[in-house]
Amino acid sequence: MYYGAVFEVKKEIPHKTYECVIDNQGQVLLPHPIACAASSRALVVILEGKVLSSESTIEAVIDNQGQVVLPHPIACAPSSRALVVILEREVPSIEGTRSSTSTVDVLSPTVAISASGDTQLWHRRYKLLRNLESEMATVVLAQRITDGALVCLKFLRTGTDRRIFEQECRALMRLQHPSIISLIDFSSEESTPWLATEYVEGGTIRDYLEENGAMNWKATVEALVVALQAVAYAHDHGVVHRDLKPGNIILGSAPNGSGLRLLDFGLALLDKYDYSNHPTGIFCPLVGTLMYMAPEQMQGLLLTPACDVYAMGLIGLEMLSGRAPFKATSIRDLLIEKMKPANVDEFLTSARELPDPLVEFLKASTQYDPACRPSARESSKMLMSGHRPSGGLRS
């Protein structure tokens, strides 16, 4: 059982949460004083690696300077991340919302907002706005009551293994990178687990290709560099995504790639283990998207960060051509096609116009042998060696 910022001590009590760290004296270090009444009760929730330990929640009060007063120093490593949860007596009001006791039937895989379109509140903290498209979960755009920020609420669909949801939470708790979607809130205690992430304006690479066709090589390189840097960061923190594809990368609307985000870490490997606690060796469950799977992944063999690099190479080919990198659809036929690195000259009619570092990356990243592929960081440097940012991802 896992808890996030929501920490369901008393479900009927709404709260505000503040990110902080623990200093080397075991005290809470806030980015700014907390604006609330003096002597307000609070909970300090320590985020420890994979999960929150049973002793990682401490009751505290807020003094008249907006600082957290602890009953004793917190025993944890310096610079540990934490959340301060302020317990409030009243629900902040938002004009136009329904009663604070409103609930949403998230057990339905298709509707998280009532058919009448009435606004509802989720856990008295999120004003539900509208459904968003998603293949694997029910996703709702919502507004956080405390500050008006837009978030995405993701609800596990009935029949989906809740361990996938828990794995995504564990992965995102490790990862704090500008190009990886940020986890804000979550709970797996209920019959339908849910999580809240930041909302990023803009569509995915898949959306862009379906609407506009192929990208030019400059826009492609900019997106690949940013994405590969995020992948390298994840690898450095023991996380292998294992399901990278155009639909799991948001391009965003910000220039210079700053809006790009990696999504959906439910199938990720954490320290070489997946959501079902399987090691990444033979008999490893075949999960992911066939088109973008590395050959070793399709064969159930040892998985390493190289499988993510392979997927990024295929994504790059699709961005440049506007079409899927392989025609085959069965495991057998796809594996035969993947036995050799991508023939960039044959696949892309404009290959001769591509810079050498890009061609080198596309060929190296799609090698059959994972040991022959560059790392995500090496790939990013390879692409940057022959390209200067043009100021925007779109062409």
Side-chain angles (χ1 to χ4, degrees):
M1 187 177 296
Y2 301 93
Y3 304 87
V6 59
F7 202 77
E8 301 292 348
V9 177
K10 292 186 178 180
K11 294 181 183 178
E12 71 276 8
I13 298 178
H15 56 259
K16 297 178 182 177
T17 61
Y18 298 83
E19 295 185 5
C20 61
V21 295
I22 307 303
D23 65 18
N24 56 11
Q25 301 298 316
Q27 301 297 318
V28 172
L29 183 62
L30 295 165
H32 54 75
I34 294 175
C36 67
S39 300
S40 293
R41 292 187 306 113
L43 292 174
V44 179
V45 183
I46 311 302
L47 305 179
E48 297 282 4
K50 295 182 180 179
V51 298
L52 299 179
S53 69
S54 60
E55 298 179 352
S56 62
T57 304
I58 299 173
E59 293 188 10
V61 296
I62 308 302
D63 65 16
N64 57 10
Q65 300 298 316
Q67 300 299 316
V68 177
V69 179
L70 297 167
H72 55 77
I74 297 174
C76 66
S79 301
S80 292
R81 292 191 305 119
L83 291 168
V84 176
V85 184
I86 308 300
L87 305 179
E88 301 174 283
R89 294 182 179 180
E90 297 181 354
V91 181
S93 61
I94 288 187
E95 184 178 356
T97 61
R98 293 174 57 181
S99 167
S100 62
T101 58
S102 299
T103 59
V104 177
D105 178 18
V106 297
L107 293 178
S108 166
T110 56
V111 179
I113 299 179
S114 63
S116 64
D118 293 334
T119 301
Q120 298 188 30
L121 297 180
W122 177 252
H123 277 248
R124 301 185 181 182
R125 290 187 296 283
Y126 301 103
K127 176 184 176 182
L128 305 182
L129 302 177
R130 60 183 173 86
N131 290 328
L132 299 174
E133 293 184 7
S134 176
E135 297 178 2
M136 301 298 295
T138 298
V139 181
V140 180
L141 178 64
Q143 185 178 45
R144 188 163 53 195
I145 291 177
T146 55
D147 59 6
L150 293 178
V151 303
C152 288
L153 293 180
K154 184 175 181 179
F155 301 98
L156 188 68
R157 287 182 177 172
T158 304
T160 303
D161 193 330
R162 68 189 298 132
R163 293 176 299 178
I164 294 177
F165 168 88
E166 292 168 350
Q167 185 81 336
E168 179 162 22
C169 291
R170 286 194 294 264
L172 292 179
M173 286 171 66
R174 289 190 183 190
L175 306 176
Q176 298 182 58
H177 189 277
S179 297
I180 295 176
I181 204 74
S182 297
L183 179 66
I184 295 172
D185 201 352
F186 72 93
S187 174
S188 68
E189 183 187 31
E190 304 162 65
S191 58
T192 301
W194 61 276
L195 60 83
T197 65
E198 65 172 322
Y199 172 71
V200 180
E201 187 71 34
T204 64
I205 292 177
R206 168 66 60 220
D207 296 329
Y208 180 90
L209 295 177
E210 290 179 351
E211 295 174 9
N212 304 283
M215 288 185 178
N216 68 33
W217 70 262
K218 290 185 178 180
T220 298
V221 169
E222 287 181 7
L224 288 174
V225 166
V226 175
L228 283 164
Q229 290 172 343
V231 171
Y233 171 88
H235 292 171
D236 289 343
H237 289 75
V239 178
V240 177
H241 191 287
R242 202 167 52 148
D243 193 28
L244 290 171
K245 56 186 177 181
N248 280 345
I249 303 176
I250 289 182
L251 282 177
S253 55
N256 301 319
S258 59
L260 187 144
R261 298 291 190 281
L262 303 186
L263 309 174
D264 293 341
F265 282 77
L267 300 182
L269 302 172
L270 271 64
D271 300 326
K272 301 182 180 180
Y273 287 84
D274 69 3
Y275 65 90
S276 61
N277 206 34
H278 278 86
T280 61
I282 195 164
F283 305 124
C284 182
L286 183 64
V287 294
T289 306
L290 281 175
M291 183 63 68
Y292 305 95
M293 280 186 186
E296 65 273 17
Q297 188 174 355
M298 296 176 66
Q299 298 175 77
L301 301 177
L302 179 66
L303 292 187
T304 68
C307 69
D308 283 346
V309 175
Y310 185 91
M312 289 305 304
L314 297 186
I315 292 169
L317 282 172
E318 188 164 348
M319 294 168 73
L320 290 165
S321 66
R323 62 183 178 88
F326 299 105
K327 296 180 180 179
T329 56
S330 70
I331 295 179
R332 176 183 176 277
D333 293 342
L334 271 173
L335 191 56
I336 292 174
E337 286 196 51
K338 294 181 179 184
M339 291 290 286
K340 57 183 178 179
N343 187 332
V344 178
D345 295 327
E346 179 181 331
F347 191 82
L348 301 171
T349 56
S350 59
R352 294 180 180 178
E353 301 174 3
L354 301 180
D356 291 340
L358 176 55
V359 176
E360 182 183 356
F361 162 72
L362 295 173
K363 291 181 177 180
S365 62
T366 56
Q367 289 288 327
Y368 178 83
D369 184 352
C372 295
R373 300 172 204 152
S375 69
R377 181 163 286 103
E378 290 169 342
S379 298
S380 176
K381 292 179 178 178
M382 184 187 304
L383 290 170
M384 288 192 295
S385 67
H387 172 62
R388 292 184 177 180
S390 64
L393 282 175
R394 303 188 182 282
S395 57

